[in-house]
Amino acid sequence: MAQRLLDFLHRERAAALVESGSHVGDEIAVVHRDHLLDVLTLLRDHADTKMNMLSDLTVVDYLGQQPRFEVVYQLYSLVHKHRLRIKVRIDDGEEQCWVPSACSLWHAANWAEREAWDLYGVRFEGHPDLRRILMYDEFVGHPLRKDYPQNGRQPLIRRPDAPATDDQTTRLLPDSHDRRVS
Amino acid sequence: MSEPGASYVPTVLQDAVNWAQKYSLFTYPFATACCAMEFMSTMGSRYDIARFGAEFPRFSPRQADLLIVIGTITERQAPVLRRIYDQMPDPKWVMAFGVCASTGGFYQNYTVMPGADQVIPVDVYVPGCPPRPEQVLDGLMALQRRIQEHRGHCQQQIGNTAAIGYTDRRKLPVLQDGTSMTLLPEERMPQDGRVR
């Protein structure tokens, strides 16, 4: 059924697609970042698709690959009962690691994008309030990145005589210290 | 007796006070995770913690003298736990309920604190994930022995509470790191790359 959606995308926005396909029954379309909002708006508003629900928004970190990150949008239509997965591939670095915000399309994107920013450091341009949502404001770095040390605790408070812990003595990467969008 | 060094002054009167206190513990359950289910069972009629005089949970730390840390404590929650401990009046005791509160348990990551004893002194650790109610009662009896023998953390600090002029900790600063309760970024992430 959902192959119809991929055909629809090929027909309407062929230039936006990087690749598309199906994996274990889920239809996936990888789009260019420049056309992301265009594709999402079309999927939400067109009478044949009506993707009026953003189920989830996540990020995958493929450390060592180019491009490094994949932002994943899980869309669902409450009208037609079909699903589609949209992916955007972005690279690491201050000027590359961003995608346009989908807050104007779904209110559900607000907190999901804040979580993705908090844990992966992907900026969402145009987000109304891009702050950390799970970690505390004093936290440095983005803990779900694959280059963050596993036991890299950043304690807010300790007893002066606190027992020793087995935290790893690993250095954070210097370029992962962006704490907030200015 | 009132100078800070004098921490352990056994007297007959102190023994009587300790005996009274160990059978009249007012608990404050700091319940954050699934161990709270076993705590409910312990409080309930089947296991009946009332047999040990600790049946009355106070949901204000200012009316409690036994803080039971039940469940996982994250780094973000640590200042809250510390503040609750500081709000309790002396003398006070702490029980770490379950492995997460004792050592962090199976969580070894950036967000879970490795044990509540990183921020507050813990008197008795109850292992288990979650512990059985019998285990909790065993831990409570261990705490009662500790109270009777005047070996609790706070008892050792404030000295002989049955005597006049024991150390009044209300005049001491409660936190080491100032009013914000947070460390500076360079203290949290030292420049040599060592993560605390």
Side-chain angles (χ1 to χ4, degrees):
Chain A
M1 184 183 78
Q3 183 63 38
R4 220 163 31 113
L5 291 173
L6 293 184
D7 296 340
F8 170 82
L9 273 186
H10 274 286
R11 198 166 57 244
E12 297 283 335
R13 296 288 189 277
L17 288 181
V18 180
E19 60 176 280
S20 65
S22 175
H23 180 66
V24 290
D26 296 334
E27 275 62 34
I28 305 164
V30 183
V31 303
H32 286 294
R33 176 169 60 194
D34 302 338
H35 298 91
L36 174 67
L37 277 193
D38 181 32
V39 169
L40 290 179
T41 312
L42 176 79
L43 285 171
R44 187 189 67 157
D45 292 338
H46 198 279
D48 290 347
T49 54
K50 280 286 177 194
M51 296 291 198
N52 51 4
M53 179 173 164
L54 177 70
S55 311
D56 201 4
L57 190 161
T58 54
V59 184
V60 187
D61 182 3
Y62 296 102
L63 182 63
Q65 291 185 20
Q66 295 283 337
R68 179 174 165 183
F69 294 105
E70 218 170 44
V71 186
V72 187
Y73 296 80
Q74 313 274 7
L75 305 183
Y76 181 61
S77 169
L78 292 168
V79 181
H80 300 296
K81 315 289 185 195
H82 54 205
R83 296 176 190 275
L84 184 63
R85 182 177 305 157
I86 302 289
K87 291 184 179 181
V88 186
R89 288 172 184 160
I90 55 173
D91 208 351
D92 200 3
E94 183 67 28
E95 67 283 349
Q96 277 303 308
C97 193
W98 65 274
V99 288
S101 169
C103 275
S104 54
L105 300 177
W106 298 280
H107 289 302
N110 192 317
W111 281 16
E113 287 178 352
R114 280 178 63 185
E115 183 183 359
W117 154 250
D118 189 358
L119 300 180
Y120 285 96
V122 175
R123 275 181 297 128
F124 289 86
E125 295 289 339
H127 191 286
D129 183 25
L130 196 60
R131 288 180 290 129
R132 289 190 182 277
I133 189 170
L134 292 177
M135 308 309 293
Y136 31 95
D137 281 343
E138 294 87 350
F139 200 84
V140 177
H142 303 285
L144 280 195
R145 287 192 174 197
K146 295 297 182 200
D147 52 4
Y148 188 87
Q150 182 210 352
N151 276 2
R153 296 192 182 92
Q154 301 183 27
L156 288 172
I157 177 176
R158 281 288 187 264
R159 273 166 66 192
D161 54 343
T165 62
D166 58 346
D167 291 351
Q168 295 169 354
T169 56
T170 331
R171 183 184 294 277
L172 278 185
L173 289 191
D175 60 350
S176 64
H177 279 234
D178 44 349
R179 296 168 59 181
R180 252 182 220 234
V181 173
S182 54
Chain B
M1 191 175 297
S2 61
E3 69 264 23
S7 60
Y8 179 57
V9 184
T11 63
V12 176
L13 180 59
Q14 182 66 61
D15 285 347
V17 170
N18 289 347
W19 174 85
Q21 279 173 342
K22 76 174 181 178
Y23 289 128
S24 173
L25 291 169
F26 280 55
T27 60
Y28 178 82
F30 190 83
T32 57
C34 38
C35 276
M37 296 297 142
E38 292 300 315
F39 178 73
M40 293 170 202
S41 173
T42 314
M43 298 295 282
S45 60
R46 184 174 176 87
Y47 293 97
D48 196 8
I49 205 170
R51 293 177 291 155
F52 303 91
E55 77 276 20
F56 200 33
R58 307 303 309 203
F59 295 104
S60 161
R62 299 190 191 279
Q63 302 167 358
D65 58 1
L66 172 60
L67 173 63
I68 307 186
V69 184
I70 308 167
T72 320
I73 305 297
T74 57
E75 295 288 359
R76 192 176 183 169
Q77 234 174 355
V80 179
L81 179 63
R82 176 74 209 195
R83 168 160 286 185
I84 282 178
Y85 177 78
D86 287 337
Q87 282 173 343
M88 290 168 61
D90 284 328
K92 53 193 172 185
W93 298 274
V94 179
M95 174 193 284
F97 189 113
V99 286
C100 289
S102 300
T103 66
F106 55 76
Y107 297 107
Q108 284 216 337
N109 55 25
Y110 56 91
T111 183
V112 174
M113 196 170 63
D117 54 2
Q118 296 284 313
V119 290
I120 56 175
V122 175
D123 287 300
V124 58
Y125 301 85
V126 179
C129 184
R132 293 274 309 169
E134 297 94 327
Q135 229 167 326
V136 183
L137 296 179
D138 189 43
L140 186 73
M141 288 191 283
L143 179 66
Q144 287 176 340
R145 285 194 298 275
R146 198 178 167 93
I147 294 171
Q148 180 67 68
E149 295 163 9
H150 210 77
R151 288 194 293 122
H153 281 289
C154 112
Q155 287 171 316
Q156 294 189 352
Q157 282 180 23
I158 63 179
N160 193 346
T161 52
I164 297 173
Y166 69 91
T167 309
D168 188 358
R169 289 204 302 172
R170 285 174 300 178
K171 297 188 177 64
L172 300 177
V174 289
L175 287 173
Q176 294 292 322
D177 44 0
T179 54
S180 72
M181 298 211 306
T182 59
L183 301 179
L184 296 172
E186 55 269 21
E187 290 180 40
R188 271 182 288 113
M189 292 301 260
Q191 294 306 305
D192 59 358
R194 185 174 160 78
V195 181
R196 282 207 285 172

